[in-house]
Amino acid sequence: MPLHVPPAPAPALRSVLAALGSPTAVRDARTPALRSLPGPLTPELPLPVHVWDQIATGDRPPRTRLTGWRFLIRNGDRAVAAADTVLTPDGWTFSHFFEGPYLSSTERALRQAENMTAGYQPRLLSIPALYMLTLWLHGDPTSDTATDGPAPSDVLIPLAPTPPGIVAHRPGSVADLLPVLTLRVRPASAAPLLGQLA
């Protein structure tokens, strides 16, 4: 089932294109691939980045906030870096380029998602309390990326590297993972349940 990738705000895309066209921005980036690869570099597959600041307990639904848009930077048929944009008082603007394990893990998770039977809107969900990033597959493909939070049936695919006890690339629903994540924030009581994810 194809993913329903939401369109990024036009100013966010323009800011990434401007950064890619700036020799200074590319030269100063800590991304060897951007400095060394010949040929065109194109920003593709924009993903809204949400942060889950406080993992809810009880029956409250998770609350997230949109903090940016991430673009995969492609050279030919492969992603070689990513570019993040952030919202400022003046609108969406380029933040930085980067490489690292989350890049290949994001691509792998997206391939997993494309093989699922349901249609999803892909997003990234950062959980700072666990130093964790997931591909969040929102079940409503037409949803507003800025306001809709995770639904119990939405799917999370943890990206590598993951915190201890969480298995990378093992999809799980928000309803199933929320109790595990809640306990993971409290390490003393988390051990029995975390074994179920290993």
Side-chain angles (χ1 to χ4, degrees):
M1 176 75 63
L3 294 174
H4 300 271
V5 179
L13 176 58
R14 282 196 301 269
S15 72
V16 172
L17 289 170
L20 283 171
S22 164
T24 303
V26 171
R27 185 179 60 247
D28 292 344
R30 296 180 182 168
T31 51
L34 290 182
R35 294 193 303 265
S36 63
L37 286 171
L41 297 167
T42 56
E44 296 180 5
L45 202 68
L47 296 171
V49 180
H50 288 252
V51 172
W52 196 348
D53 288 314
Q54 294 184 345
I55 296 177
T57 57
D59 296 330
R60 291 183 306 167
R63 297 180 68 118
T64 64
R65 59 188 171 86
L66 178 66
T67 60
W69 282 81
R70 178 168 296 170
F71 296 78
L72 297 184
I73 306 300
R74 293 198 176 274
N75 178 256
D77 62 350
R78 67 185 184 105
V80 296
D84 274 0
T85 63
V86 294
L87 186 59
T88 69
D90 295 324
W92 290 101
T93 187
F94 170 75
S95 173
H96 62 281
F97 292 116
F98 67 95
E99 294 180 26
Y102 282 135
L103 183 62
S104 59
S105 189
T106 300
E107 283 197 300
R108 178 179 168 187
L110 287 166
R111 286 193 300 272
Q112 284 180 264
E114 287 172 349
N115 290 323
M116 294 180 175
T117 56
Y120 292 103
Q121 183 189 83
R123 304 173 178 187
L124 291 172
L125 180 61
S126 172
I127 308 171
L130 298 176
Y131 301 98
M132 181 176 174
L133 185 66
T134 73
L135 180 65
W136 165 18
L137 301 175
H138 194 51
D140 180 359
T142 61
S143 170
D144 180 349
T145 58
T147 59
D148 290 348
S153 60
D154 286 356
V155 175
L156 300 178
I157 302 178
L159 302 182
T162 56
I166 305 290
V167 179
H169 296 283
R170 181 179 291 174
S173 71
V174 170
D176 290 341
L177 287 175
L178 181 58
V180 177
L181 299 177
T182 301
L183 289 176
R184 185 67 183 92
V185 172
R186 297 185 213 116
S189 61
L193 187 54
L194 286 178
Q196 296 176 17
L197 284 184

